[in-house]
């Protein structure tokens, strides 16, 4: 987490602004729970530990959430929007361990480990004082196995990842370095004990996050006191003997990242090791295949950015889904088209519904779903199967605090990768929640009171529509604009239309046409030729759809206010003039 945006720091130091404007900027940057006057804020830095930095977690009071759920650890089903007093939808509460269990003042990060020898599942919970290990193999009766204390000092920020049955732990604490813990020591343990680190790497002092590509054994420490805060690359293939192998510092401080062996649409980079970094005000893509000579492929900022915090790739490596921790609590998720690694497109924004808008924090993709930890909105799960078209749909949620607010409290992070389907969630003031989402299982319909009518024999009796669309643009160095239009086609009863042919016509004298065929998610993309916004002030695009599900009715197209109000009910055309404004 970082509380101030570096661009605004520069603004305040370089530009003379009146007191009213200064107050408005300060008000936008200070969380309400900080209880600070605007004049009390020092904008010299936004990074933990730097001069003038104000820790937004200092005023958080630990709470015993068991006062709400009682002593029961048998689990509580989400029923009518509530599980043991917590707001929920499609997520059951299996168990809860409060901070007192761990003798801790606050929790932070969380990760998980599955023992390959016996399949037992463990939660690795970051605490202000160290790291706790919890056996959740019986998820309604988790067993606390003890704690590994911090290497140096307590810290509100701790981060954990795993590789080769070892945990790798960093913290925003001086002289902490990288702790290594052999997780195989947990086998057969049934009660809490004090643990010691297996190995330690002192190539840096503090770090904000640790990133690990489990395919290659590359660990990347970010936000450290080395490498200009950028990608500090460490080989951990031998987990107890970490070795520095590279550094990428050209784009400055990295807050968090994901590094993968790339298998996406940019065929020139197939099989290469690519890092997707959240660099405070940009998404930055770096090829780190050659550790000694990493190369930036592209970087992208976006309108009204406040603090580019973290993100995760969809599994097809087409979309990087990111969040902005300081976007005025709008609950916004940013979807960047990264299908061309050298040409990141402007993001499409999804906004949480009113009543669930909070500060965004960590999020991860598993299959078609995005698992978000959104502080005081708790765990939010979105269907991201159409993320490439800019569509996210509510699937489930569970709030770990009593009410949604614009506060740096609630869920710090989550780990959704257990094969059991259990998701563990860390609550800053609460502790550990063990949850079970109910996703993808349609409700059982009651038997009909009378025989159903015959199904239609012709698809012409059904109707399809463009369920959503999105426009992504990029201005080239010559001033011309490159644009792509993403379509999602569904029937009116919300069935994704695979194999539909979407055709568009655009331009004048002569009219041009292009087409695409929807994939299994009912989505496809059409790229338009470069347009000069000076000579071509707007482009009108008209779409048609040929579908086996039924007849296309443009009057039923779903409206998308964020993209173009013209493309709405009763208007089958899309005016792209807004992209040239």
């Amino acid at each position: 987490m970082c509380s101030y945006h570096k661009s605004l720091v520069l603004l305040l130091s370089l530009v003379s602004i009146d007191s009213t404007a200064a107050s408005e900027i300060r008000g936008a940057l200070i969380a309400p729970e900080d209880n600070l006057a605007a004049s009390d804020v020092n904008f010299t830095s936004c990074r933990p530990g730097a001069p003038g930095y104000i820790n937004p977690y200092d005023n958080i009071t630990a709470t015993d959430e068991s006062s709400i759920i009682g002593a029961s650890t048998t689990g509580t089903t989400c029923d009518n929007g509530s599980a043991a007093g917590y707001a929920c939808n499609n997520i059951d509460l299996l168990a809860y361990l409060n901070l007192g269990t761990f003798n801790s003042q606050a929790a932070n990060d969380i990760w998980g480990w599955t023992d390959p020898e016996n399949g037992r599942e463990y939660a690795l919970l970051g605490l202000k004082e160290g790291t706790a290990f919890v056996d959740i193999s019986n998820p309604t009766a988790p067993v606390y196995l003890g704690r590994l204390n911090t290497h140096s000092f307590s810290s509100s920020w701790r981060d954990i990842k795993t590789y080769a049955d070892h945990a790798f732990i960093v913290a925003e604490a001086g002289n902490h370095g990288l702790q290594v813990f052999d997780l195989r020591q947990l086998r057969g343990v049934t009660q809490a004990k004090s643990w010691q680190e297996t190995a330690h790497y002192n190539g840096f002092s503090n770090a904000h996050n640790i990133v690990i590509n489990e395919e290659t054994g590359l660990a990347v420490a970010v936000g450290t006191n080395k490498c200009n805060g950028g990608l500090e690359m460490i080989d951990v293939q031998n987990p107890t003997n970490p070795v520095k192998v590279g550094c990428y510092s050209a784009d400055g401080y990295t807050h968090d990242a994901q590094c993968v062996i790339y298998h996406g649409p940019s065929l020139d980079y197939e099989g290469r090791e690519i890092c997707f970094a959240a660099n405070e005000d940009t998404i930055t893509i770096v090829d780190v295949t050659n550790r000694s000579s990493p190369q930036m492929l592209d970087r992208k900022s976006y309108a009204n950015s406040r603090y580019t915090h973290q993100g995760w790739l969809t599994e097809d490596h087409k979309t990087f889904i990111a969040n902005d921790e300081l976007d005025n609590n709008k609950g916004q998720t940013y979807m960047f088209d990264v299908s061309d690694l050298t040409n990141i497109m402007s993001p499409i924004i999804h906004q949480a519904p009113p009543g669930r808008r909070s500060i965004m924090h960590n999020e991860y993709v598993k299959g078609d779903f995005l698992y978000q930890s959104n502080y005081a909105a708790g765990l939010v799960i979105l269907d991201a199967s159409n993320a490439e078209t800019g569509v996210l749909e509510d699937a489930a949620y569970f709030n770990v605090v009593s009410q949604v607010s614009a506060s740096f409290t609630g869920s710090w992070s989550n780990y959704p990768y257990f094969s059991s389907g259990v998701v563990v969630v860390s609550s800053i003031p609460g502790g550990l929640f063990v949850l079970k989402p109910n996703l993808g299982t349609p409700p059982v319909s009651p038997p009909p009171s009378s025989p159903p009518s015959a199904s239609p024999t012709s698809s012409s009796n059904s109707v399809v529509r463009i369920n959503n669309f999105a426009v992504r643009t990029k201005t080239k160095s010559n001033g011309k604009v490159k644009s792509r239009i993403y379509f999602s086609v569904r029937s009116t009863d919300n069935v994704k239309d695979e194999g539909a042919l979407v055709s568009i016509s655009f331009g004048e004298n002569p009219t041009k046409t292009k087409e695409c065929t929807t994939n299994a998610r009912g989505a496809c993309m059409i790229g338009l030729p470069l347009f000069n916004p000076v000579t071509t002030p707007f482009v009108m695009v008209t779409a048609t759809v040929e579908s086996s599900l039924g007849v296309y009715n443009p009057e039923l197209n779903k409206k998308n206010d964020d993209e173009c109000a013209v493309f709405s009910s009763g208007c089958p055309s899309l005016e792209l003039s807004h992209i040239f404004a």
Side-chain angles (χ1 to χ4, degrees):
M1 181 271 163
C2 185
S3 292
Y4 316 121
H5 188 253
K6 64 185 181 183
S7 297
L8 289 178
V9 173
L10 292 174
L11 172 67
L12 287 172
S13 62
L14 298 176
V15 181
S16 175
I17 56 177
D18 60 42
S19 58
T20 301
S23 177
E24 290 176 353
I25 292 174
R26 293 183 182 112
L29 292 176
I30 305 172
E33 73 281 10
D34 283 340
N35 297 319
L36 298 171
S39 59
D40 295 332
V41 180
N42 185 329
F43 287 92
T44 58
S45 179
C46 65
R47 298 164 192 164
Y53 180 79
I54 299 170
N55 185 347
Y57 306 112
D58 279 348
N59 294 335
I60 294 176
T61 302
T63 59
D64 181 0
E65 299 295 342
S66 63
S67 63
I68 300 178
I69 69 173
S72 172
T73 57
T74 58
T76 305
T77 300
C78 180
D79 186 28
N80 292 323
S82 178
Y86 293 97
C88 62
N89 178 47
N90 290 337
I91 300 179
D92 297 330
L93 172 64
L94 300 184
Y96 164 73
L97 296 179
N98 62 32
L99 288 173
T101 305
F102 315 112
N103 190 25
S104 176
Q105 295 179 331
N108 41 64
D109 190 41
I110 195 165
W111 205 245
W113 175 64
T114 299
D115 189 334
E117 185 175 277
N118 54 36
R120 299 189 72 83
E121 296 178 341
Y122 298 84
L124 316 179
L125 178 66
L127 303 169
K128 190 170 185 178
E129 305 81 4
T131 304
F133 306 107
V134 182
D135 185 343
I136 63 159
S137 303
N138 180 355
T140 59
V143 180
Y144 172 48
L145 303 181
R147 190 174 86 186
L148 170 67
N149 286 333
T150 184
H151 183 80
S152 57
F153 308 103
S154 295
S155 174
S156 297
W157 297 268
R158 197 169 304 279
D159 201 61
I160 311 158
K161 295 297 186 295
T162 59
Y163 171 75
D165 303 324
H166 288 71
F168 298 83
I169 305 162
V170 300
E172 283 280 11
N175 299 318
H176 186 279
L178 176 65
Q179 289 182 299
V180 182
F181 180 79
D182 188 342
L183 294 163
R184 295 171 295 184
Q185 298 177 82
L186 301 178
R187 289 172 180 162
V189 178
T190 58
Q191 56 186 340
K193 59 176 291 187
S194 179
W195 296 97
Q196 302 299 315
E197 60 194 24
T198 306
H200 182 261
Y201 172 79
N202 63 1
F204 56 84
S205 176
N206 61 288
H208 198 76
N209 281 302
I210 181 75
V211 179
I212 293 184
N213 182 357
E214 295 186 40
E215 291 188 75
T216 64
L218 176 69
V220 181
V222 298
T224 74
N225 62 313
K226 301 288 187 177
C227 194
N228 198 24
L231 306 177
E232 177 83 353
M233 291 175 273
I234 305 161
D235 186 336
V236 295
Q237 289 186 353
N238 180 352
T240 60
N241 185 31
V243 177
K244 178 174 177 175
V245 291
C247 159
Y248 178 76
S249 61
D251 197 43
Y253 185 93
T254 295
H255 182 272
D256 209 339
Q258 182 189 12
C259 300
V260 300
I261 296 298
Y262 181 74
H263 299 296
S266 284
L267 299 182
D268 289 345
Y269 297 93
E270 172 69 25
R272 297 185 68 82
E273 191 160 21
I274 308 296
C275 291
F276 296 78
N279 279 16
E280 296 191 300
D281 57 1
T282 64
I283 297 299
T284 301
I285 301 177
V286 183
D287 185 342
V288 299
T289 308
N290 183 345
R291 313 274 200 261
S292 62
S293 183
Q295 300 295 318
M296 184 175 74
L297 304 181
D298 198 17
R299 65 195 297 271
K300 184 72 174 180
S301 189
Y302 49 96
N304 301 316
S305 68
R306 294 294 182 269
Y307 196 81
T308 310
H309 177 265
Q310 184 261 355
W312 212 253
L313 281 169
T314 54
E315 293 186 352
D316 58 12
H317 291 183
K318 292 181 178 180
T319 308
F320 189 74
I321 306 178
N323 51 60
D324 189 309
E325 194 175 16
L326 297 174
D327 65 353
N328 298 325
N329 312 317
K330 294 178 181 177
Q332 294 185 154
T333 303
Y334 298 79
M335 288 162 280
F336 291 84
D337 176 3
V338 293
S339 54
D340 180 350
L341 295 181
T342 64
N343 184 19
I344 307 171
M345 305 298 282
S346 297
I348 300 173
I349 299 173
H350 167 85
Q351 189 168 38
R356 290 219 312 277
R357 293 174 185 171
S358 180
I359 304 171
M360 315 294 278
H361 207 227
N362 292 331
E363 59 189 11
Y364 303 98
V365 173
K366 179 183 179 183
D368 285 339
F369 293 96
L370 177 67
Y371 295 74
Q372 297 183 319
S373 280
N374 293 341
Y375 281 132
L379 175 68
V380 175
I381 303 178
L382 301 172
D383 182 342
S385 59
N386 279 311
E388 65 179 297
T389 66
V391 179
L392 297 174
E393 297 180 340
D394 285 338
Y397 63 85
F398 188 101
N399 202 349
V400 298
V401 291
S402 57
Q403 67 181 53
V404 176
S405 67
S407 302
F408 289 97
T409 187
S411 176
W412 181 291
S413 196
N414 70 86
Y415 181 81
Y417 298 110
F418 291 120
S419 60
S420 64
V422 168
V423 177
V424 287
V425 175
S426 59
S427 168
I428 302 169
L432 173 66
F433 285 79
V434 184
L435 306 176
K436 182 61 181 291
N438 302 301
L439 304 174
T441 304
V444 178
S445 301
S449 56
S450 58
S453 58
S455 300
T457 57
S458 170
S459 62
S460 63
N461 291 328
S462 300
V463 178
V464 298
R465 67 185 179 193
I466 294 177
N467 184 67
N468 207 299
F469 77 96
V471 180
R472 290 171 176 165
T473 66
K474 182 158 187 170
T475 302
K476 310 292 282 187
S477 59
N478 60 4
K480 293 186 177 181
V481 175
K482 179 179 181 179
S483 56
R484 298 173 180 171
I485 308 177
Y486 293 77
F487 295 92
S488 171
V489 180
R490 297 192 182 190
S491 65
T492 50
D493 55 357
N494 214 33
V495 175
K496 297 173 183 177
D497 192 354
E498 180 179 7
L501 180 67
V502 179
S503 303
I504 63 170
S505 59
F506 57 94
E508 297 179 356
N509 302 321
T511 298
K512 300 178 179 64
T513 61
K514 296 193 79 171
E515 61 188 31
C516 63
T517 302
T518 57
N519 59 21
R521 298 172 178 175
C524 69
M525 180 273 289
I526 295 176
L528 297 181
L530 290 174
F531 287 97
N532 187 327
V534 176
T535 60
T536 309
F538 70 90
V539 180
M540 186 70 73
V541 174
T542 301
T544 61
V545 178
E546 296 179 18
S547 168
S548 61
L549 291 183
V551 176
Y552 170 58
N553 185 347
E555 294 186 358
L556 298 178
N557 288 340
K558 293 187 73 173
K559 182 177 180 179
N560 189 330
D561 290 319
D562 291 336
E563 289 295 342
C564 181
V566 174
F567 195 60
S568 58
S569 177
C571 182
S573 298
L574 166 63
E575 182 180 321
L576 298 188
S577 58
H578 69 293
I579 70 175
F580 302 131

PDB file of all heavy atoms in Angstrom, residues 63-84:
ATOM      1  N   THR A  63      -9.897  -6.335  16.143  1.00  0.00           N
ATOM      2  CA  THR A  63     -11.231  -6.722  16.585  1.00  0.00           C
ATOM      3  C   THR A  63     -11.320  -8.230  16.680  1.00  0.00           C
ATOM      4  O   THR A  63     -10.687  -8.957  15.926  1.00  0.00           O
ATOM      5  CB  THR A  63     -12.311  -6.230  15.604  1.00  0.00           C
ATOM      6  OG1 THR A  63     -12.047  -6.778  14.309  1.00  0.00           O
ATOM      7  CG2 THR A  63     -12.326  -4.728  15.519  1.00  0.00           C
ATOM      8  N   ASP A  64     -12.109  -8.699  17.610  1.00  0.00           N
ATOM      9  CA  ASP A  64     -12.349 -10.129  17.752  1.00  0.00           C
ATOM     10  C   ASP A  64     -13.645 -10.455  17.051  1.00  0.00           C
ATOM     11  O   ASP A  64     -14.729 -10.290  17.600  1.00  0.00           O
ATOM     12  CB  ASP A  64     -12.422 -10.495  19.234  1.00  0.00           C
ATOM     13  CG  ASP A  64     -12.640 -11.993  19.441  1.00  0.00           C
ATOM     14  OD1 ASP A  64     -12.719 -12.707  18.428  1.00  0.00           O
ATOM     15  OD2 ASP A  64     -12.721 -12.420  20.599  1.00  0.00           O
ATOM     16  N   GLU A  65     -13.538 -10.877  15.788  1.00  0.00           N
ATOM     17  CA  GLU A  65     -14.753 -11.142  15.026  1.00  0.00           C
ATOM     18  C   GLU A  65     -15.517 -12.344  15.574  1.00  0.00           C
ATOM     19  O   GLU A  65     -16.669 -12.573  15.218  1.00  0.00           O
ATOM     20  CB  GLU A  65     -14.404 -11.372  13.550  1.00  0.00           C
ATOM     21  CG  GLU A  65     -13.730 -10.185  12.875  1.00  0.00           C
ATOM     22  CD  GLU A  65     -14.628  -8.969  12.771  1.00  0.00           C
ATOM     23  OE1 GLU A  65     -15.850  -9.109  12.907  1.00  0.00           O
ATOM     24  OE2 GLU A  65     -14.103  -7.869  12.555  1.00  0.00           O
ATOM     25  N   SER A  66     -14.880 -13.140  16.463  1.00  0.00           N
ATOM     26  CA  SER A  66     -15.608 -14.265  17.038  1.00  0.00           C
ATOM     27  C   SER A  66     -16.755 -13.791  17.922  1.00  0.00           C
ATOM     28  O   SER A  66     -17.655 -14.556  18.245  1.00  0.00           O
ATOM     29  CB  SER A  66     -14.662 -15.162  17.850  1.00  0.00           C
ATOM     30  OG  SER A  66     -14.115 -14.456  18.941  1.00  0.00           O
ATOM     31  N   SER A  67     -16.718 -12.497  18.314  1.00  0.00           N
ATOM     32  CA  SER A  67     -17.849 -11.965  19.063  1.00  0.00           C
ATOM     33  C   SER A  67     -19.099 -11.931  18.204  1.00  0.00           C
ATOM     34  O   SER A  67     -20.211 -11.880  18.713  1.00  0.00           O
ATOM     35  CB  SER A  67     -17.531 -10.553  19.565  1.00  0.00           C
ATOM     36  OG  SER A  67     -17.329  -9.669  18.468  1.00  0.00           O
ATOM     37  N   ILE A  68     -18.885 -11.962  16.889  1.00  0.00           N
ATOM     38  CA  ILE A  68     -20.029 -12.002  15.974  1.00  0.00           C
ATOM     39  C   ILE A  68     -20.432 -13.430  15.678  1.00  0.00           C
ATOM     40  O   ILE A  68     -21.591 -13.810  15.757  1.00  0.00           O
ATOM     41  CB  ILE A  68     -19.694 -11.270  14.664  1.00  0.00           C
ATOM     42  CG1 ILE A  68     -19.358  -9.802  14.962  1.00  0.00           C
ATOM     43  CG2 ILE A  68     -20.848 -11.365  13.672  1.00  0.00           C
ATOM     44  CD1 ILE A  68     -18.964  -9.016  13.740  1.00  0.00           C
ATOM     45  N   ILE A  69     -19.442 -14.280  15.363  1.00  0.00           N
ATOM     46  CA  ILE A  69     -19.790 -15.640  14.931  1.00  0.00           C
ATOM     47  C   ILE A  69     -19.830 -16.630  16.084  1.00  0.00           C
ATOM     48  O   ILE A  69     -20.211 -17.780  15.907  1.00  0.00           O
ATOM     49  CB  ILE A  69     -18.821 -16.157  13.855  1.00  0.00           C
ATOM     50  CG1 ILE A  69     -17.423 -16.401  14.444  1.00  0.00           C
ATOM     51  CG2 ILE A  69     -18.737 -15.221  12.681  1.00  0.00           C
ATOM     52  CD1 ILE A  69     -16.477 -17.073  13.489  1.00  0.00           C
ATOM     53  N   GLY A  70     -19.418 -16.208  17.275  1.00  0.00           N
ATOM     54  CA  GLY A  70     -19.440 -17.102  18.416  1.00  0.00           C
ATOM     55  C   GLY A  70     -18.293 -18.090  18.377  1.00  0.00           C
ATOM     56  O   GLY A  70     -17.343 -17.954  17.624  1.00  0.00           O
ATOM     57  N   ALA A  71     -18.366 -19.114  19.222  1.00  0.00           N
ATOM     58  CA  ALA A  71     -17.264 -20.062  19.346  1.00  0.00           C
ATOM     59  C   ALA A  71     -17.317 -21.171  18.300  1.00  0.00           C
ATOM     60  O   ALA A  71     -16.388 -21.954  18.188  1.00  0.00           O
ATOM     61  CB  ALA A  71     -17.276 -20.666  20.740  1.00  0.00           C
ATOM     62  N   SER A  72     -18.386 -21.240  17.548  1.00  0.00           N
ATOM     63  CA  SER A  72     -18.554 -22.345  16.603  1.00  0.00           C
ATOM     64  C   SER A  72     -17.508 -22.298  15.495  1.00  0.00           C
ATOM     65  O   SER A  72     -17.194 -21.247  14.960  1.00  0.00           O
ATOM     66  CB  SER A  72     -19.949 -22.304  15.976  1.00  0.00           C
ATOM     67  OG  SER A  72     -20.052 -23.248  14.940  1.00  0.00           O
ATOM     68  N   THR A  73     -16.949 -23.452  15.164  1.00  0.00           N
ATOM     69  CA  THR A  73     -16.049 -23.569  14.019  1.00  0.00           C
ATOM     70  C   THR A  73     -16.597 -24.570  13.014  1.00  0.00           C
ATOM     71  O   THR A  73     -15.872 -25.100  12.194  1.00  0.00           O
ATOM     72  CB  THR A  73     -14.644 -24.013  14.469  1.00  0.00           C
ATOM     73  OG1 THR A  73     -14.744 -25.262  15.178  1.00  0.00           O
ATOM     74  CG2 THR A  73     -14.006 -22.978  15.360  1.00  0.00           C
ATOM     75  N   THR A  74     -17.889 -24.854  13.120  1.00  0.00           N
ATOM     76  CA  THR A  74     -18.489 -25.840  12.221  1.00  0.00           C
ATOM     77  C   THR A  74     -18.940 -25.234  10.911  1.00  0.00           C
ATOM     78  O   THR A  74     -19.378 -25.939  10.025  1.00  0.00           O
ATOM     79  CB  THR A  74     -19.694 -26.519  12.897  1.00  0.00           C
ATOM     80  OG1 THR A  74     -20.651 -25.506  13.258  1.00  0.00           O
ATOM     81  CG2 THR A  74     -19.250 -27.259  14.152  1.00  0.00           C
ATOM     82  N   GLY A  75     -18.809 -23.924  10.792  1.00  0.00           N
ATOM     83  CA  GLY A  75     -19.169 -23.278   9.541  1.00  0.00           C
ATOM     84  C   GLY A  75     -20.594 -22.786   9.531  1.00  0.00           C
ATOM     85  O   GLY A  75     -21.461 -23.278  10.244  1.00  0.00           O
ATOM     86  N   THR A  76     -20.817 -21.766   8.699  1.00  0.00           N
ATOM     87  CA  THR A  76     -22.137 -21.164   8.589  1.00  0.00           C
ATOM     88  C   THR A  76     -22.458 -20.931   7.114  1.00  0.00           C
ATOM     89  O   THR A  76     -21.677 -20.291   6.406  1.00  0.00           O
ATOM     90  CB  THR A  76     -22.201 -19.819   9.343  1.00  0.00           C
ATOM     91  OG1 THR A  76     -21.802 -20.023  10.697  1.00  0.00           O
ATOM     92  CG2 THR A  76     -23.601 -19.242   9.297  1.00  0.00           C
ATOM     93  N   THR A  77     -23.569 -21.425   6.668  1.00  0.00           N
ATOM     94  CA  THR A  77     -23.982 -21.257   5.284  1.00  0.00           C
ATOM     95  C   THR A  77     -24.466 -19.836   5.045  1.00  0.00           C
ATOM     96  O   THR A  77     -25.128 -19.243   5.898  1.00  0.00           O
ATOM     97  CB  THR A  77     -25.106 -22.249   4.938  1.00  0.00           C
ATOM     98  OG1 THR A  77     -24.631 -23.579   5.135  1.00  0.00           O
ATOM     99  CG2 THR A  77     -25.546 -22.087   3.485  1.00  0.00           C
ATOM    100  N   CYS A  78     -24.106 -19.298   3.888  1.00  0.00           N
ATOM    101  CA  CYS A  78     -24.629 -17.997   3.494  1.00  0.00           C
ATOM    102  C   CYS A  78     -26.102 -18.162   3.138  1.00  0.00           C
ATOM    103  O   CYS A  78     -26.452 -18.862   2.189  1.00  0.00           O
ATOM    104  CB  CYS A  78     -23.848 -17.456   2.300  1.00  0.00           C
ATOM    105  SG  CYS A  78     -24.427 -15.845   1.719  1.00  0.00           S
ATOM    106  N   ASP A  79     -26.951 -17.535   3.916  1.00  0.00           N
ATOM    107  CA  ASP A  79     -28.391 -17.695   3.742  1.00  0.00           C
ATOM    108  C   ASP A  79     -29.050 -16.319   3.781  1.00  0.00           C
ATOM    109  O   ASP A  79     -28.862 -15.562   4.738  1.00  0.00           O
ATOM    110  CB  ASP A  79     -28.958 -18.594   4.842  1.00  0.00           C
ATOM    111  CG  ASP A  79     -30.424 -18.913   4.632  1.00  0.00           C
ATOM    112  OD1 ASP A  79     -30.875 -18.918   3.464  1.00  0.00           O
ATOM    113  OD2 ASP A  79     -31.129 -19.141   5.630  1.00  0.00           O
ATOM    114  N   ASN A  80     -29.782 -15.998   2.719  1.00  0.00           N
ATOM    115  CA  ASN A  80     -30.477 -14.712   2.646  1.00  0.00           C
ATOM    116  C   ASN A  80     -29.527 -13.538   2.853  1.00  0.00           C
ATOM    117  O   ASN A  80     -29.841 -12.564   3.539  1.00  0.00           O
ATOM    118  CB  ASN A  80     -31.622 -14.650   3.662  1.00  0.00           C
ATOM    119  CG  ASN A  80     -32.744 -15.604   3.320  1.00  0.00           C
ATOM    120  OD1 ASN A  80     -33.070 -15.794   2.144  1.00  0.00           O
ATOM    121  ND2 ASN A  80     -33.321 -16.227   4.342  1.00  0.00           N
ATOM    122  N   GLY A  81     -28.348 -13.651   2.262  1.00  0.00           N
ATOM    123  CA  GLY A  81     -27.411 -12.545   2.284  1.00  0.00           C
ATOM    124  C   GLY A  81     -26.604 -12.396   3.545  1.00  0.00           C
ATOM    125  O   GLY A  81     -25.938 -11.367   3.738  1.00  0.00           O
ATOM    126  N   SER A  82     -26.596 -13.405   4.422  1.00  0.00           N
ATOM    127  CA  SER A  82     -25.857 -13.287   5.668  1.00  0.00           C
ATOM    128  C   SER A  82     -25.304 -14.638   6.088  1.00  0.00           C
ATOM    129  O   SER A  82     -25.952 -15.674   5.921  1.00  0.00           O
ATOM    130  CB  SER A  82     -26.764 -12.733   6.773  1.00  0.00           C
ATOM    131  OG  SER A  82     -26.081 -12.663   8.000  1.00  0.00           O
ATOM    132  N   ALA A  83     -24.096 -14.616   6.646  1.00  0.00           N
ATOM    133  CA  ALA A  83     -23.495 -15.793   7.278  1.00  0.00           C
ATOM    134  C   ALA A  83     -22.916 -15.347   8.610  1.00  0.00           C
ATOM    135  O   ALA A  83     -21.925 -14.612   8.643  1.00  0.00           O
ATOM    136  CB  ALA A  83     -22.419 -16.408   6.392  1.00  0.00           C
ATOM    137  N   ALA A  84     -23.566 -15.735   9.698  1.00  0.00           N
ATOM    138  CA  ALA A  84     -23.124 -15.356  11.043  1.00  0.00           C
ATOM    139  C   ALA A  84     -22.957 -13.851  11.194  1.00  0.00           C
ATOM    140  O   ALA A  84     -22.051 -13.377  11.871  1.00  0.00           O
ATOM    141  CB  ALA A  84     -21.818 -16.073  11.377  1.00  0.00           C
TER     142      ALA A  84
END
